[in-house]
């Protein structure tokens, strides 16, 4: 075993085996994976088995995971919704930071920590973990919900406060040689320049470049990873942090028709890389420092777990949001961040505070991260339990939320998979009758033709579970699969079956229709969860016969109805 761990590859292999084993145990005990992964870091770290030696390599994988995670968040951001949520994100983010810092400082003084120690702890408590929150909300598919978007907004505000706090601390640490104010202005100027470059990329390059890359899907995925890493590294270099850079990379591609495919393809890579982030986080925690200030750590933990959500709920309630939205968003700030530990460690390096204060904040981090993970994971049952006592946090009416719900409404009556001649023809005729239609295809040219015809489209693979889960299936009445057979009837039938299963798993409760080109294929389709089988050649022949016989218009309408009745699944 010792010989295996001497190599970096062997070390990574041991960590993966530990992660799989502990993750399996945690899943069997119905524990969130994040808790299991942090436990892997604690067990593998210096306070446990001490098998983590390649800290630099693990850190690189963890940082790439952060870039990919924030890229996936950015690529799904709704620009219209962001504009409407800017005020609540700013007021909630700054309000929570000021509230936590002020009362955290007072609590520190009451516990006898002294002014400087209390100040460091108070500032550390204001930071929430964007990485952990976004991962949890993404797993629950709530990052696109109203409370998820608001939470993301004020977490970004917090990240900017982190950046400014660390710049000020760094300026103090170097004796003011470069000047704290000059450093802040340099970061702001660099950030504005980076945003301007991203806007130019979106305006002139994003759509044509991704359309060309989409001809080779693997190249499109590599480009997305490269862009996320490039902007994350650039933003980190200018002082904005990797999170902001990864987010900007995603935003730069959010307006392209291929964003869902990139998101679906990168999701497994995100989960794999983030494993190393949580391992690095757990391995960095020194359990030998946790024996001091246990009472103080528990007091601060309760303050973060209860006080932070309450201030968020109060601010959002005052701004006209429902108590449910405020509650779900408020739970996301019920923990401190990995940056809290970095911030306090900088204070130790500067000689402002001692190791015991770092141990105090570390224990607060362990408690709040673990408990808030459960709070966010089980947020809806928790809300139902607390709902009777939350009336204080909701105004008589909620005008802000009503407007933003309308702004985020993207529902379709019919979703058509396959924009060939048949699928496109169906979409055009349904739209002419006022039906809201969304077309799906994996062919960039088909997507472009459909968009030119005025059809709403998304580029993606309907046999990819992540992509299917991202579709607006909740209120759709029909999911129509019209992709022509390639490589045999059995293969295509399997593809239809896969699409149906993924759609049902993602919450689709409507009816499913598909096309068939032979009698035996139709018979097999009835064995699947299919409500209607469309036979283009048979239907066209029936229509031609009716026209050739000079049938009246009313009879033309009746014939398809008879055929539809015949083809409905029993």
């Amino acid at each position: 075993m010792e010989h295996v761990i001497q190599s970096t590859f062997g070390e990574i292999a041991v960590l993966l085996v530990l992660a799989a084993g502990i993750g399996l145990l945690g899943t069997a005990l119905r524990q969130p994976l994040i808790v299991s992964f942090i436990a892997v870091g604690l067990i593998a770290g210096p306070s446990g088995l001490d098998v983590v030696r390649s800290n630099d390599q693990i850190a690189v994988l963890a940082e790439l995971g952060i870039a990919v995670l924030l890229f996936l968040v950015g690529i799904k951001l709704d620009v219209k919704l962001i504009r409407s949520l800017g005020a609540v994100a700013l007021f909630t983010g700054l309000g929570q930071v000021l509230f936590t810092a002020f009362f955290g400082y007072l609590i520190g003084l009451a516990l006898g920590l002294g002014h400087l120690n209390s100040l460091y702890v108070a500032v550390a408590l204001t930071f929430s973990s964007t990485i952990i929150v976004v991962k949890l909300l993404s797993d629950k598919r709530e990052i696109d919900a109203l409370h998820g978007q608001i939470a993301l907004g004020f977490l970004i505000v917090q990240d900017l406060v982190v950046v400014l706090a660390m710049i000020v601390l760094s300026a103090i640490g170097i004796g003011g040689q470069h000047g704290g104010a000059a450093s802040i202005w340099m970061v702001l100027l660099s950030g504005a320049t980076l945003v301007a470059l991203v806007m130019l990329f979106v305006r002139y390059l994003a759509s044509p470049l991704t359309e060309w890359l989409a001809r080779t899907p693997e190249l499109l995925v590599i480009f997305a990873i490269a862009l996320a890493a490039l902007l994350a590294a650039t933003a980190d270099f200018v002082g904005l942090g990797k999170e902001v850079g990864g987010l900007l990379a995603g935003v730069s591609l959010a307006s392209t028709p291929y964003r869902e495919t990139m998101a679906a393809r990168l999701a497994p890579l995100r989960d794999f890389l983030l494993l190393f982030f949580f391992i690095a986080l757990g391995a960095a925690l020194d359990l030998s420092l946790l024996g001091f200030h246990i009472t103080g750590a528990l007091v601060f933990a309760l303050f973060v777990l209860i006080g932070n959500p309450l201030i968020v709920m109060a601010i959002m309630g005052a701004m006209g949001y429902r108590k449910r939205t405020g509650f779900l968003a408020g739970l996301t700030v019920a923990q401190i961040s990995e940056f809290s530990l970095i911030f306090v460690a900088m204070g130790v390096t500067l000689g402002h505070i001692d190791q015991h204060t770092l141990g105090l904040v570390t224990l607060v981090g362990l408690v709040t991260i673990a408990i808030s993970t459960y709070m966010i994971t089980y947020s809806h049952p928790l809300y139902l339990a607390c709902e009777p006592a939350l009336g204080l946090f909701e105004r008589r009416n909620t005008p802000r939320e009503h407007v933003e719900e309308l702004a985020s409404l993207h529902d379709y009556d019919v979703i058509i998979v396959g924009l060939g001649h048949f699928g496109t023809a169906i979409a055009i005729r349904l739209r002419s009758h006022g039906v809201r239609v969304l077309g799906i295809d994996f062919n960039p040219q088909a997507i472009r033709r459909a968009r030119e015809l005025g059809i709403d489209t998304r580029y993606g693979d309907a046999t990819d579970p992540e992509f299917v889960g991202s579709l607006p299936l909740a209120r759709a009445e029909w999911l129509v699969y019209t992709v022509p057979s390639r490589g045999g009837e059995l293969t295509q039938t399997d593809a239809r079956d896969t699409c149906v299963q993924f759609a049902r798993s993602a919450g689709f409760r409507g009816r499913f229709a598909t096309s068939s080109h032979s009698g035996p294929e139709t018979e097999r389709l009835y064995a699947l969860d299919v409500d209607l089988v469309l036979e283009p050649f048979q239907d066209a022949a029936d229509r031609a016969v009716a026209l050739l016989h000079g049938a009246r218009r009313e009879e033309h309408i009746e014939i398809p109805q008879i055929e539809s009745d015949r083809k409905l699944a029993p």
Side-chain angles (χ1 to χ4, degrees):
M1 183 69 172
E2 188 69 26
H3 177 72
V4 171
I5 298 178
Q6 286 178 356
S7 68
T8 301
F9 184 82
E11 180 183 333
I12 298 295
V14 170
L15 290 175
L16 291 176
V17 171
L18 276 175
I22 296 175
L24 182 62
L25 178 62
T27 302
L29 298 174
R30 298 189 176 183
Q31 305 302 306
L33 268 180
I34 285 180
V35 174
S36 298
F37 289 164
I38 293 176
V40 172
L42 289 171
I43 293 172
S47 300
L49 301 177
D50 194 21
V51 298
V52 178
R53 312 284 173 78
S54 305
N55 293 302
D56 293 339
Q57 291 86 342
I58 291 174
V60 169
L61 293 174
E63 290 168 356
L64 185 58
I66 293 171
V68 172
L69 173 67
L70 271 297
F71 172 85
L72 292 179
V73 172
I75 205 171
K76 292 188 176 182
L77 285 182
D78 188 327
V79 176
K80 293 180 181 178
L81 195 58
I82 291 173
R83 290 172 182 168
S84 66
L85 297 180
V88 65
L90 182 62
F91 285 119
T92 305
L94 292 180
Q96 181 266 317
V97 167
L98 293 174
F99 168 86
T100 305
F102 178 72
F103 285 99
Y105 177 72
L106 295 181
I107 292 173
L109 292 179
L111 292 172
L113 294 182
H115 291 284
L116 195 55
N117 282 325
S118 298
L119 182 60
Y120 265 91
V121 173
V123 174
L125 297 182
T126 64
F127 309 146
S128 301
S129 178
T130 303
I131 312 303
I132 292 175
V133 171
V134 170
K135 178 68 170 68
L136 288 170
L137 292 179
S138 297
D139 289 345
K140 295 181 66 181
R141 298 186 181 180
E142 292 182 4
I143 195 67
D144 295 324
L146 180 59
H147 67 273
Q149 296 285 285
I150 293 173
L152 177 62
F154 58 65
L155 286 172
I156 292 173
V157 172
Q158 283 187 5
D159 285 345
L160 295 177
V161 173
V162 171
V163 170
L164 294 177
M166 290 188 173
I167 290 172
V168 171
L169 204 57
S170 298
I172 295 173
I174 60 177
Q177 294 176 6
H178 302 290
S183 299
I184 293 173
W185 281 112
M186 183 61 68
V187 169
L188 294 177
L189 179 61
S190 301
T193 303
L194 187 61
V195 170
L197 291 175
V198 168
M199 291 176 65
L200 289 174
F201 175 79
V202 172
R203 177 68 178 83
Y204 296 106
L205 285 177
S207 293
L209 181 59
T210 52
E211 182 175 347
W212 183 76
L213 291 170
R215 299 173 184 174
T216 308
E218 293 81 4
L219 187 58
L220 182 65
V221 173
I222 292 173
F223 169 75
I225 298 172
L227 184 64
L230 174 63
L231 287 188
T234 303
D236 189 52
F237 176 75
V238 301
L240 287 172
K242 299 179 185 67
E243 294 83 2
V244 175
L247 188 71
L248 284 176
V251 170
S252 70
L253 298 178
S255 60
T256 67
Y258 312 105
R259 66 176 191 168
E260 298 296 345
T261 294
M262 287 184 278
R265 293 294 180 91
L266 287 178
L269 177 64
R270 170 203 65 193
D271 294 338
F272 172 73
L273 292 174
L274 282 180
L275 164 65
F276 294 97
F277 167 78
F278 292 114
I279 288 176
L281 177 62
L285 299 177
D286 188 352
L287 300 184
S288 65
L289 299 175
L290 303 185
F292 301 91
H293 302 296
I294 292 180
T295 302
L298 294 179
V299 171
F300 280 120
L302 288 174
F303 169 64
V304 172
L305 290 167
I306 299 173
N308 282 358
L310 287 178
I311 188 59
V312 169
M313 290 177 62
I315 295 173
M316 291 182 61
M319 296 185 69
Y321 289 89
R322 289 185 298 167
K323 57 187 179 182
R324 180 179 183 275
T325 304
F327 182 85
L328 296 178
L331 292 182
T332 63
V333 294
Q335 85 286 124
I336 66 172
S337 168
E338 63 281 358
F339 290 114
S340 303
L341 305 181
I342 296 173
F343 179 79
V344 175
M346 289 176 68
V348 173
T349 302
L350 294 174
H352 293 169
I353 55 178
D354 56 22
Q355 288 285 343
H356 296 312
T357 303
L358 178 59
L360 168 66
V361 175
T362 300
L363 184 54
V364 173
L366 277 176
V367 173
T368 57
I369 289 173
I371 295 179
S372 68
T373 297
Y374 294 102
M375 292 168 65
I376 297 173
T377 302
Y378 301 104
S379 58
H380 296 285
L382 189 59
Y383 170 75
L384 293 177
C386 299
E387 192 269 339
L390 300 179
L392 177 66
F393 299 98
E394 182 174 282
R395 287 165 49 179
R396 187 162 302 212
N397 52 51
T398 54
R400 285 290 298 264
E401 185 154 343
H402 176 68
V403 171
E404 279 148 17
E405 281 177 344
L406 293 177
S408 62
L409 187 63
H410 297 286
D411 293 328
Y412 294 93
D413 302 311
V414 178
I415 298 176
I416 299 176
V417 178
L419 292 173
H421 294 299
F422 187 47
T424 302
I426 293 175
I428 291 173
R429 285 158 177 77
L430 286 173
R431 288 184 71 251
S432 69
H433 286 82
V435 178
R436 297 171 297 178
V437 180
L438 176 66
I440 308 296
D441 206 290
F442 204 42
N443 185 325
Q445 284 75 28
I447 290 288
R448 187 175 65 252
R449 286 195 303 267
R451 290 171 69 89
E452 290 172 353
L453 293 170
I455 301 171
D456 290 351
T457 62
R458 283 196 190 178
Y459 172 86
D461 184 357
T463 60
D464 186 326
E466 291 283 343
F467 174 74
V468 174
S470 72
L471 295 175
L473 296 167
R475 299 187 183 181
E477 298 177 12
W478 282 96
L479 180 60
V480 183
Y481 192 98
T482 67
V483 179
S485 211
R486 296 186 191 123
E489 295 175 355
L490 181 60
T491 300
Q492 192 58 26
T493 302
D494 288 344
R496 293 189 189 99
D497 191 14
T498 301
C499 183
V500 174
Q501 292 175 0
F502 289 159
R504 297 298 187 200
S505 298
F508 177 62
R509 297 294 178 264
R511 292 184 287 178
F512 188 85
T514 185
S515 60
S516 171
H517 296 280
S518 69
E521 186 180 12
T522 300
E523 303 256 340
R524 283 195 297 271
L525 288 170
Y526 282 140
L528 305 177
D529 188 10
V530 174
D531 299 286
L532 176 65
V533 178
L534 303 171
E535 297 176 299
F537 295 113
Q538 295 296 331
D539 293 342
D542 290 339
R543 177 70 171 172
V545 169
L547 289 172
L548 290 171
H549 277 78
R552 294 175 310 193
R553 182 173 178 79
E554 290 80 5
E555 294 171 338
H556 295 171
I557 297 174
E558 291 175 359
I559 289 176
Q561 290 177 338
I562 294 172
E563 292 302 312
S564 296
D565 291 340
R566 176 176 65 82
K567 286 177 284 190
L568 280 172

